[in-house]
Amino acid sequence: MTIIDGKQLAKDIKAELAIKVSSIKAAGGKIPHLAAVLIGDNAASESYVRNKVRSCEQVGFNSTLIRQDESISEDALLEIVDDLNRDDDIDGFIVQLPLPKHINEQKITLAIEPKKDVDGFHPMNFGRMAQGLPSYLPATPYGILQMLERYNIETSGKHCVVIGRSNIVGTPMSILLSRKAKIGNCTVTLAHSRTKDLKAETLRADIIIAAIGRANFVTADMVKEGAVIIDVGINRVEDATKKRGYRLVGDVDFEGVLSKVSHITPVPGGVGPMTVCSLMMNTLKASKGEIF
Ligand code: GUN
């Protein structure tokens, strides 16, 4: 049984990116520049964005953080997006989600210039991904592909069950794993809240991608012997023994399934650290004009 060390993998990828940035600098090329827009004071969003900015510094990218109050109007945010679209020094940018309720997230996503959409959320990028054209891949699925590749996990011909059909994780993951690609060629089942007999589906899975957002949802009785488990969940459960009063657990009952699986990602330290690497890799691609 192998525990997939996302933390170490992320460190390795960042070190590789830092080397690439050094050679760009040495050759007098343009330093990749990522901008992040953070609206309001959602604690989780603050921590994610802080991590993105810190990661930029670690690999030698330039970064710009634009913070605005929760009360910003939709028009004012659209203006910020427009400025970033036009700023030649910014290679890529993200608008951290969720946004306040009075702002239409879809409208903001559509306003981002696809060639700067390093989150890969714009329908232009999503559509290109679905058709196997060059595109920015969304961070979490891209990070998972990296994990599968770097741990030499065979995907071709395997049966993969993705649980959860979000636009950010489940749906793109199901498309990517079924594509004709080195990490792909899976037979994919996309399971969701209306799936009739989920256990029957997961018991057939060689690979399970759990992205439901429910603590310890996937239990040992749902897992086939030798399965590969990728746990995307980050759920808070009360824990009085912790100073902050909670601990983080995944969507999978980690301890319960451990003796059955061939590979598993832990929470924390699995998929999470990989997502920011994906964003960095997309930003490097943006600065080199590799996608568009
Ligand atoms: N909120 C949660 N995950 C993400 C992400 O990957 N990108 C953005 N922009 N917002 C998020």
Side-chain angles (χ1 to χ4, degrees), residues 37 45 48-49 52 93-98 119 121 138-140 168 275 279:
V37 181
S45 292
Y48 292 144
V49 170
K52 289 169 186 178
F93 67 97
I94 62 147
V95 177
Q96 188 67 23
L97 305 178
D119 259 333
F121 290 172
T140 303
I168 295 182
T275 59
L279 185 64

Side-chain angles (χ1 to χ4, degrees), residues 1-276:
M1 192 274 305
T2 303
I3 294 179
I4 298 176
D5 189 345
K7 208 167 159 185
Q8 183 58 47
L9 212 49
K11 248 188 213 164
D12 296 346
I13 292 173
K14 280 186 197 167
E16 291 166 19
L17 284 169
I19 291 170
K20 287 183 184 161
V21 177
S22 295
S23 23
I24 292 171
K25 274 187 188 162
K30 179 175 182 315
I31 308 296
H33 189 168
L34 174 75
V37 181
L38 176 61
I39 309 294
D41 52 9
N42 176 305
S45 292
E46 287 219 18
S47 138
Y48 292 144
V49 170
R50 211 179 311 124
N51 192 16
K52 289 169 186 178
V53 170
R54 192 181 335 117
S55 298
C56 280
E57 286 161 8
Q58 284 169 352
V59 302
F61 287 4
N62 292 326
S63 65
T64 297
L65 173 59
I66 299 170
R67 295 197 66 143
Q68 291 289 330
D69 194 80
E70 157 110 31
S71 63
I72 188 172
S73 69
E74 188 176 271
D75 280 348
L77 180 54
L78 284 168
E79 218 166 284
I80 291 173
V81 168
D82 197 43
D83 287 346
L84 290 168
N85 283 340
R86 291 162 193 267
D87 186 335
D88 286 340
D89 198 61
I90 303 288
D91 298 298
F93 67 97
I94 62 147
V95 177
Q96 188 67 23
L97 305 178
L99 291 170
K101 287 205 168 49
H102 65 277
I103 298 178
N104 181 334
E105 282 185 1
Q106 204 175 20
K107 203 164 167 185
I108 302 299
T109 301
L110 282 169
I112 297 173
E113 175 64 48
K115 72 173 188 215
K116 293 194 176 188
D117 169 40
V118 284
D119 259 333
F121 290 172
H122 192 287
M124 171 74 92
N125 274 305
F126 198 98
R128 290 174 66 108
M129 171 200 71
Q131 293 192 349
L133 297 168
S135 68
Y136 299 116
L137 302 184
T140 303
Y142 191 12
I144 293 170
L145 293 184
Q146 289 288 317
M147 285 179 142
L148 295 171
E149 179 167 14
R150 289 175 183 243
Y151 272 82
N152 293 314
I153 293 168
E154 181 61 74
T155 57
S156 185
K158 302 291 181 185
H159 184 200
C160 177
V161 174
V162 179
I163 317 175
R165 55 181 159 185
S166 72
N167 285 340
I168 295 182
V169 184
T171 299
M173 194 74 250
S174 69
I175 294 169
L176 287 165
L177 283 171
S178 60
R179 287 199 317 189
K180 197 171 187 174
K182 186 172 164 219
I183 305 297
N185 291 315
C186 284
T187 303
V188 179
T189 299
L190 180 54
H192 44 75
S193 54
R194 302 287 172 95
T195 296
K196 282 230 168 81
D197 187 354
L198 180 63
K199 185 173 164 182
E201 301 295 342
T202 57
L203 278 173
R204 289 192 298 128
D206 302 305
I207 302 170
I208 295 176
I209 315 271
I212 324 124
R214 285 171 65 177
N216 301 322
F217 180 83
V218 177
T219 46
D221 59 314
M222 297 167 71
V223 174
K224 182 169 82 170
E225 204 69 47
V228 173
I229 307 232
I230 307 290
D231 190 349
V232 181
I234 304 177
N235 308 290
R236 287 181 180 192
V237 296
E238 270 184 42
D239 186 341
T241 68
K242 302 278 176 201
K243 216 164 80 184
R244 55 188 180 180
Y246 67 88
R247 69 194 148 85
L248 296 177
V249 301
D251 288 350
V252 178
D253 174 15
F254 185 83
E255 300 297 337
V257 303
L258 212 50
S259 62
K260 280 183 117 175
V261 301
S262 74
H263 294 76
I264 186 163
T265 62
V267 177
V271 174
M274 295 296 293
T275 59
V276 70

